């Protein structure tokens, strides 16, 4: 009922399509010629679903990262609020504000390390599972793994620095009166 032909041409696709239609019309005027596409257009059409899934996955990954950073910020803000009296006493006894920032950021780094300790092996295992769907990527690409870990470190630091700086500005007198 139908036939598919692949033609290699040195001219542009528009002129090649016109030449092909003309040649087919000369051979048999009743033969319809339709759905002329370049191989690139055919590949784009074939891979549309995969690309859509990849774009959605990337979007959901970005959304998960934003939600995780908001959650980390909330947890650290709660921890700073709960430890307000302790941090106020530290500042009253002469602790430098930078030391208080480090106390809070150390907890952020601990949470980051726990997350990476769980996430990296899970990503390696899932990378093998979806390796057939990765076009042009290796399932265990060290560059991507390091850049992802660096991105998560930056996002975690950004989420933790606001509560940490707030903790370093606690007025010791108000913190002691707080409870």
């Amino acid at each position: 009922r139908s036939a598919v032909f692949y033609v290699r041409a040195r001219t542009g696709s528009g002129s090649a399509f016109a030449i092909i239609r003309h040649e087919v019309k000369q051979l048999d005027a009743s033969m319809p010629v339709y759905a002329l596409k370049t191989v690139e257009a055919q590949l784009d059409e074939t891979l549309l679903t995969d690309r859509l899934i990849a774009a959605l996955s990337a979007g959901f990954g970005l959304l998960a990262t934003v939600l995780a950073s908001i959650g980390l910020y909330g947890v650290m803000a709660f921890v700073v609020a709960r430890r307000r009296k302790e941090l106020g006493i530290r500042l009253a006894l002469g602790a430098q504000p930078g030391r208080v920032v480090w106390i809070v950021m150390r907890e952020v780094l601990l949470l980051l390390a726990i997350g990476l300790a769980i996430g990296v092996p899970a990503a390696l295992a899932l990378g093998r599972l979806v390796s057939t769907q990765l076009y042009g990527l290796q399932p265990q690409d060290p560059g991507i793994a390091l850049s992802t870990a660096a991105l998560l470190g930056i996002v975690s630091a950004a989420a933790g620095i606001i509560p940490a700086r707030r903790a370093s500005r606690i007025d010791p007198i108000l913190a002691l009166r707080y409870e």
Side-chain angles (χ1 to χ4, degrees):
R1 295 186 163 216
S2 67
V4 175
F5 293 98
Y6 290 94
V7 177
R8 179 180 288 187
R10 295 184 193 270
T11 63
S13 60
S15 61
F17 292 163
I19 292 170
I20 292 168
R21 280 194 163 104
H22 176 70
E23 290 296 322
V24 170
K25 191 177 216 179
Q26 281 186 342
L27 292 173
D28 186 358
S30 65
M31 185 182 301
V33 177
Y34 57 92
L36 291 174
K37 306 178 204 179
T38 62
V39 172
E40 183 179 338
Q42 179 64 36
L43 284 173
D44 285 345
E45 203 175 284
T46 303
L47 298 175
L48 179 66
T49 304
D50 292 336
R51 288 184 179 155
L52 180 63
I53 290 171
L56 284 172
S57 297
F60 285 135
L62 180 64
L63 180 64
T65 303
V66 169
L67 289 175
S69 66
I70 291 170
L72 182 60
Y73 168 78
V75 166
M76 294 317 300
F78 177 74
V79 166
V80 167
R82 296 278 295 175
R83 294 178 66 184
R84 185 178 182 136
K85 186 174 181 180
E86 173 206 339
L87 297 172
I89 291 171
R90 286 179 186 268
L91 288 169
L93 293 175
Q96 297 296 321
R99 177 74 178 141
V100 173
V101 167
W102 173 244
I103 290 170
V104 176
M105 288 305 289
R106 190 174 57 207
E107 291 184 30
V108 170
L109 293 175
L110 177 66
L111 290 174
L112 174 66
I114 292 169
L116 288 175
I118 294 170
V120 168
L124 289 174
L126 290 175
R128 288 189 191 123
L129 182 68
V130 297
S131 64
T132 59
Q133 306 253 328
L134 300 175
Y135 300 108
L137 297 173
Q138 297 299 322
Q140 287 114 12
D141 188 0
I144 291 177
L146 290 174
S147 63
T148 302
L151 176 69
L152 290 175
I154 291 167
V155 168
S156 298
I161 197 70
I162 297 170
R165 289 185 53 95
R166 190 176 303 138
S168 70
R169 293 185 185 132
I170 292 174
D171 184 10
I173 302 299
L174 291 177
L176 294 174
R177 248 191 250 165
Y178 181 67
E179 292 189 33

